[in-house]
């Protein structure tokens, strides 16, 4: 399968890139420590996780009703709501709004949903100039790379690599490898662009149905500028981001920032409720919200896979994943990397397209242990493995079910199953394997590239137990 | 629960064929504590390899074949966090809606990982008879997270006066075994076990102890392949050796 081969190529590239791996190791170690410092009391953490899980689970159960209420409230507030089934439609809606407003330049806040729809490419092809205002996003925009992490998009680059990029794109500014100076440079460049942009595009962290409020969590103030300085603001988000009440937000916000970056609270927290009013001095004249489905309604139908949609995009599962730290985000080849990517992308794109991702998991459970909304990630990944080799007895509308089944592998498991479900066969096998242990090959494919081959013992435990007089029943 | 008179021992396929001495040591520790150990001869495997690979029907057939072995209402002791975790955490899912679901749930409810059984049920007391030794512990991810028994191995080792337990960097990180993961994603697994063995070697420990033979096969095999590193041993063998 081509996609499988591509995945293996990317893995190979990542594992041979020592600089990349050391960038990820040091970044992930830091962010894990910072998160741990925010949760000194495990009981309190567990209570907060329960609360956050309950809020998100409630939102998903009531989602259709909440989305209707959200639309109604936003409309009352003067925010125009648009619905998009897929990426193409979402992009076309946004382009249409920009065109109608005569907007040629867009300043953009960080939005993973816009990565899903590949909005930047879409708009650039239609002659609209986009500048990413989040520092990390700006760096990868210069480098023409996709994000390697959902919260820290440029985490794969160290400061020397960033300094090189800035030298190339801002030759007028003195070269520096100092992180603070680099940040200042970016701020100066970006600030002048904010003032001149025709429109701002942003994501949304929580959309509150009760009040029609769009919440945006950020650290650099770029989100606030993108959503207030230009005369037009367009927000885009996935339909699962809706929550019922304003009182649902504080527990989610607290656990989001602590889990994501180990901050008690981010520097900025924006609550957008309406466009500029006649008596107000600033703010956009028009605000739009694009609500994207992109497979989410399909996922919601399955009562187990539904848990995937609880995600608040903190990235803690990614930060704690022992596979991600070895590979980095680009190796996954999907918008969302790491455990949440392995769980979400095969559902969003189809098992035939992204099912191979499920092999990049040891089932260690580190992700589920830290997930602020208690998504059982290993359980979901295991389910997707099962669905990709064999349609399970459910009515889930998952696409590509059974598409990764290989006859040779299926035969091996059938033989294995037969051997281990027939005690007499099993005993014959262990008898042969122990007596003929000298025949065990010294090379066992990929296993012995990194380890010596295991060898059967002279006698099985069945043999030893009998000899030592342990009873059989 | 009070110490039972009898307990089943579920060896796991890996221990049966590759590490039988670890299994035998576990059985001897329990027997020494005054509990009769029953080793049902028809036992094979918990079904985990196929389950983790997505082959649930094949896993179910194997798990089902174990039910007849562990019928009596006595504990089932498993010298592996991951196999115990398979039974406790995943059999309920695997058997859901099956005619023998109740039987499977009953076995799951009576299942203990070995160190958990020694500490929580038998409250075993150990006297260290060995020479001073420095060791490092690798707790398997399933013992730590699925079973939540990471403290039990520490409790047992703390009873041994002359054993110094050293801690390695990133102690809670997976060693990269992951069952079929080590075969399907061999190069990632290779990178992971390299990091794990480096961290363990850096402690200066003479031995690495674990509750799980899967991790030991991975870590020990890597040390051997690298030509340098501490010996690896299952906790049951280590405890028995220190106390007899």
């Amino acid at each position: 399968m081509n996609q499988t081969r591509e995945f293996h190529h990317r893995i190979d590239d990542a594992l041979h890139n020592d600089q990349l791996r050391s960038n990820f190791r040091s970044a992930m170690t830091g962010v894990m420590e910072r998160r741990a410092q925010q949760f000194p009391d495990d009981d309190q953490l567990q209570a907060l996780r329960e609360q956050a899980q309950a809020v998100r689970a409630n939102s998903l159960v009531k989602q259709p009703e909440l989305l209707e209420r959200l639309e109604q409230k936003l409309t009352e507030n003067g925010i125009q709501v648009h619905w998009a089934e897929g990426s193409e439609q979402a992009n076309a809606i946004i382009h249409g709004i920009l065109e109608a407003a005569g907007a040629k330049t867009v300043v953009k806040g960080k939005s993973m949903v816009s990565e899903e729809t590949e909005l930047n490419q879409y708009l650039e092809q239609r002659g609209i100039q986009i500048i990413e205002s989040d520092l990390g996003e700006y760096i990868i925009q210069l480098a023409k790379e996709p994000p390697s992490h959902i919260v820290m998009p440029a985490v794969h680059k160290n400061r020397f690599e960033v300094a090189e990029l800035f030298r190339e794109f801002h030759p007028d500014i003195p070269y520096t490898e100092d992180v603070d100076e680099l940040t200042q440079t970016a701020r100066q460049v970006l600030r002048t662009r904010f003032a001149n942009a025709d429109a701002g595009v942003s994501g949304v962290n929580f959309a509150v149905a009760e009040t029609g409020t769009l919440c945006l969590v950020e650290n650099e103030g770029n989100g606030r500028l993108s959503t207030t300085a230009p005369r037009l603001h367009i927000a885009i988000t996935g339909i699962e981001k809706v929550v019922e009440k304003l009182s649902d937000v504080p527990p989610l916000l607290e656990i989001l920032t602590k889990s994501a970056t180990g901050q008690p609270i981010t520097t900025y927290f924006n609550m957008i409720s309406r466009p500029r009013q006649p008596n107000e001095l600033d703010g956009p004249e028009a605000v739009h919200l694009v609500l994207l489905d992109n497979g989410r309604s399909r996922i919601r139908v399955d009562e187990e896979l539904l848990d995937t949609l609880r995600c608040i995009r903190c990235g803690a599962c990614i930060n704690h994943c022992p596979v991600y730290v070895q590979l980095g985000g680009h190796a996954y080849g999907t918008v969302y990397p790491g455990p949440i990517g392995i769980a979400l992308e095969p559902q969003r794109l189809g098992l035939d397209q992204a099912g191979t991702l499920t092999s990049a998991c040891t089932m260690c459970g580190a992700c589920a242990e830290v997930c602020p909304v208690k998504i059982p990630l290993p359980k979901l990944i295991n389910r997707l493995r099962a669905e990709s080799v064999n349609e399970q007895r459910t009515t889930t509308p998952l696409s590509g079910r059974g598409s990764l089944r290989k006859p040779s592998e299926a035969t091996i498991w059938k033989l294995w199953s037969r051997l281990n479900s027939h005690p007499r066969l099993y005993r014959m096998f262990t008898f042969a394997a122990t007596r003929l242990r000298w025949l065990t090959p010294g090379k066992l494919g990929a296993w012995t590239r990194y380890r010596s081959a295991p060898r059967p013992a002279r006698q099985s435990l069945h043999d030893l137990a009998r000899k030592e007089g342990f009873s059989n029943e | 629960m009070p110490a039972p008179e009898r307990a089943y021992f579920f060896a796991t396929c890996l221990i049966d064929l590759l590490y039988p001495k670890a299994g035998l040591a576990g059985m001897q520790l329990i027997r020494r504590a005054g509990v009769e150990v029953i080793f049902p001869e028809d036992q094979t495997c918990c079904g985990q390899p196929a389950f983790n690979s997505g082959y649930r029907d094949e896993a179910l057939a194997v798990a089902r074949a174990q039910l007849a072995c562990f019928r009596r209402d006595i504990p089932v002791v498993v010298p592996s966090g991951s196999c115990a975790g398979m039974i406790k955490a995943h059999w309920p899912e695997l058997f859901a809606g099956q005619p023998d679901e109740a039987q499977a749930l009953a076995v799951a409810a009576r299942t203990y990982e070995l160190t958990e059984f020694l500490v929580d049920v038998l409250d075993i007391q150990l006297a260290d008879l060995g020479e001073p030794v420095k060791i490092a512990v690798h707790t398997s991810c399933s013992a730590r997270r699925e079973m939540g028994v990471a403290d039990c191995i520490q409790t047992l080792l703390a009873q041994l006066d002359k054993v110094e337990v050293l801690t390695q960097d990133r102690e809670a990180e997976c060693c990269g075994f992951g069952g079929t993961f080590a075969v399907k994603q061999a190069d990632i697994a290779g990178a992971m076990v390299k990091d794990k063995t480096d961290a363990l070697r850096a402690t200066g420990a003479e031995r690495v102890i674990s509750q799980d033979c899967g991790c030991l096969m991975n870590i020990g095999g890597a040390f051997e392949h690298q030509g340098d590193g501490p010996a690896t041993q299952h906790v049951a063998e280590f405890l028995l050796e220190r106390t007899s």
Side-chain angles (χ1 to χ4, degrees), chain A residues 184-252:
Chain A
Q184 280 310 317
T185 301
R187 280 179 87 91
Q188 283 160 22
V189 172
L190 294 170
R191 292 279 152 143
T192 56
R193 313 259 179 115
F194 284 122
N196 306 321
D198 298 323
V201 169
S202 76
V204 174
N205 291 92
F206 319 111
V208 185
E210 178 187 38
T211 52
T213 308
L214 307 179
C215 303
L216 188 58
V217 180
E218 48 128 357
N219 268 317
E220 298 168 21
N222 65 308
R224 183 155 303 173
L225 280 167
S226 305
T227 58
T228 52
R231 60 189 159 85
L232 171 64
H233 169 213
I234 306 167
I236 176 169
T237 197
I239 51 172
E240 87 284 12
K241 291 281 172 63
V242 67
V243 296
E244 186 174 10
K245 302 183 295 272
L246 201 57
S247 61
D248 287 341
V249 173
L252 290 182

Side-chain angles (χ1 to χ4, degrees), chain A residues 8 32 42 57 67-68 80 115 130 166 185 193 216 219 221-222 224 254 298 314 320 328 345 348 375 411 433 435 458:
Chain A
H8 278 279
M32 280 162 74
D42 191 59
L67 285 171
E68 273 181 41
Q80 297 168 63
E115 298 289 339
I130 295 167
F166 277 41
T185 301
R193 313 259 179 115
L216 188 58
N219 268 317
N222 65 308
R224 183 155 303 173
E254 180 185 353
R298 223 177 340 109
C314 72
H320 290 74
E345 297 295 41
R348 204 167 64 81
I375 301 173
T411 306
R435 270 55 174 190
R458 282 175 211 285

Side-chain angles (χ1 to χ4, degrees), chain A residues 7-8 11 15 21 25 304 322-323 326-327 359-366 369 379 382-383 385-386 389-390 392-393 405-406 409-410 413-414 416-417 420-421 423 426-427 429-430 433-434 446-452 454-457 459-462 464-466 468-473, chain B residues 9 11 13 15-18 20-21 23-24 27-28 31 36-45 47 49-59 61-62 65-66 72 93 141 145 170 173-174 176-178 180-182 184-193 195 217-218 221-222 224-225:
Chain A
F7 186 35
H8 278 279
I11 288 170
L15 290 176
R21 289 174 65 203
R25 179 58 94 178
E304 183 180 30
V323 171
Q326 299 289 349
L327 299 179
S359 66
C361 169
T362 68
M363 298 278 149
C364 81
E369 190 179 31
K379 188 164 175 262
N382 185 290
R383 163 76 185 281
R385 283 184 182 173
V389 293
N390 198 1
Q392 299 301 297
R393 296 170 203 87
R405 188 181 184 87
K406 287 186 215 146
E409 198 181 83
W413 286 118
K414 284 215 180 311
W416 172 91
S417 185
N420 284 286
S421 52
Y426 174 84
R427 279 198 295 274
F429 166 74
T430 49
T434 48
W447 176 269
T448 41
R449 233 182 287 156
Y450 305 100
R451 312 160 199 83
S452 61
R455 180 173 262 215
Q459 292 177 304
S460 71
L461 185 57
H462 277 78
L464 295 178
R466 212 176 306 118
E468 294 289 328
F470 286 96
S471 63
N472 175 33
E473 58 179 347
Chain B
F9 199 81
C13 57
I15 283 193
D16 190 28
L17 190 61
L18 301 175
K21 284 183 187 155
L24 189 63
M27 292 164 73
Q28 286 166 338
R31 179 151 79 177
E36 186 195 339
V37 178
I38 301 169
F39 185 90
E41 211 177 36
D42 284 351
Q43 61 173 288
T44 61
C45 167
F51 181 74
N52 272 357
S53 304
Y55 287 83
R56 294 189 176 185
D57 290 343
E58 289 77 1
V62 170
Q66 312 312 309
R72 282 200 261 172
E93 187 185 354
C141 298
R145 304 198 180 93
R170 301 189 289 268
E173 189 168 286
C174 177
F177 177 57
T180 48
F181 170 81
K184 286 204 162 187
Q185 289 294 358
D187 296 321
I188 308 176
M192 289 170 75
V193 77
D195 282 0
M217 183 166 77
N218 185 36
E224 206 177 309
H225 182 81

Side-chain angles (χ1 to χ4, degrees), chain A residues 87-144:
Chain A
S87 296
E88 176 71 27
Q89 197 186 349
N91 291 340
I93 289 168
I94 292 175
H95 181 239
I97 299 169
L98 292 171
E99 224 177 21
K104 291 279 175 217
T105 55
V106 169
V107 64
K108 199 157 150 276
K110 203 178 131 26
S111 154
M112 286 308 295
V113 173
S114 74
E115 298 289 339
E116 259 182 57
T117 69
E118 299 184 353
L119 177 66
N120 287 15
Q121 294 89 315
Y122 186 95
L123 294 180
E124 275 162 4
Q125 282 162 12
R126 285 155 185 81
I128 290 172
Q129 196 204 344
I130 295 167
I131 184 153
E132 290 286 354
S133 64
D134 173 271
L135 180 55
E137 290 284 349
Y138 181 63
I139 291 166
I140 59 168
Q141 189 181 26
L142 293 182
K144 297 191 174 56

Side-chain angles (χ1 to χ4, degrees), chain A residues 124-431:
Chain A
E124 275 162 4
Q125 282 162 12
R126 285 155 185 81
I128 290 172
Q129 196 204 344
I130 295 167
I131 184 153
E132 290 286 354
S133 64
D134 173 271
L135 180 55
E137 290 284 349
Y138 181 63
I139 291 166
I140 59 168
Q141 189 181 26
L142 293 182
K144 297 191 174 56
E145 288 171 359
S148 59
H149 188 287
I150 65 172
V151 174
M152 302 169 282
V155 68
H156 56 290
K157 295 207 178 294
N158 63 23
R159 64 193 165 102
F160 305 107
E161 294 165 302
V162 175
E164 272 308 315
L165 264 180
F166 277 41
R167 165 150 59 195
E168 187 185 343
F169 287 93
H170 299 294
D172 44 320
I173 297 165
Y175 178 83
T176 175
E177 290 167 356
D178 182 273
V179 175
D180 289 337
E181 283 181 42
L182 285 168
T183 310
Q184 280 310 317
T185 301
R187 280 179 87 91
Q188 283 160 22
V189 172
L190 294 170
R191 292 279 152 143
T192 56
R193 313 259 179 115
F194 284 122
N196 306 321
D198 298 323
V201 169
S202 76
V204 174
N205 291 92
F206 319 111
V208 185
E210 178 187 38
T211 52
T213 308
L214 307 179
C215 303
L216 188 58
V217 180
E218 48 128 357
N219 268 317
E220 298 168 21
N222 65 308
R224 183 155 303 173
L225 280 167
S226 305
T227 58
T228 52
R231 60 189 159 85
L232 171 64
H233 169 213
I234 306 167
I236 176 169
T237 197
I239 51 172
E240 87 284 12
K241 291 281 172 63
V242 67
V243 296
E244 186 174 10
K245 302 183 295 272
L246 201 57
S247 61
D248 287 341
V249 173
L252 290 182
L253 176 62
E254 180 185 353
I255 206 161
L256 170 63
T257 66
K258 288 181 172 177
S259 301
T261 49
Q263 291 173 285
I265 181 76
T266 44
T267 317
Y268 291 83
F269 178 63
N270 309 284
M271 299 174 84
I272 299 156
S273 302
R274 57 187 187 186
R276 184 201 298 203
Q277 302 300 294
N279 57 345
E280 288 174 346
L281 292 174
D282 51 18
E285 289 152 25
V287 179
H288 297 256
L289 174 68
V290 179
L291 284 159
L292 176 68
D293 188 317
N294 229 13
R296 288 163 172 81
S297 298
R298 223 177 340 109
I299 296 172
R300 193 174 159 274
V301 171
D302 186 282
E303 59 178 32
E304 183 180 30
L305 299 175
L306 157 78
D307 291 349
T308 321
L309 300 173
R310 284 211 294 268
C311 180
I312 55 173
R313 305 285 190 263
C314 72
C317 62
I318 301 174
N319 301 341
H320 290 74
C321 177
V323 171
Y324 177 87
V325 77
Q326 299 289 349
L327 299 179
H330 289 157
Y332 293 79
T334 46
V335 173
Y336 301 94
I340 187 61
I342 297 178
L344 176 62
E345 297 295 41
Q347 298 186 58
R348 204 167 64 81
L349 307 168
L351 289 160
D352 46 341
Q353 295 301 310
T356 317
L357 288 185
T358 61
S359 66
C361 169
T362 68
M363 298 278 149
C364 81
C367 49
E369 190 179 31
V370 295
C371 175
V373 288
K374 300 178 76 171
I375 301 173
L377 287 155
K379 188 164 175 262
L380 298 177
I381 294 168
N382 185 290
R383 163 76 185 281
L384 294 173
R385 283 184 182 173
E387 293 281 8
S388 57
V389 293
N390 198 1
E391 286 189 25
Q392 299 301 297
R393 296 170 203 87
T394 56
T395 52
T396 176
L398 203 55
S399 73
R401 298 167 87 196
S403 61
L404 301 186
R405 188 181 184 87
K406 287 186 215 146
S408 56
E409 198 181 83
T411 306
I412 289 172
W413 286 118
K414 284 215 180 311
L415 287 171
W416 172 91
S417 185
R418 204 175 149 65
L419 180 74
N420 284 286
S421 52
H422 294 84
R424 282 191 55 202
L425 264 180
Y426 174 84
R427 279 198 295 274
M428 278 162 61
F429 166 74
T430 49
F431 183 87

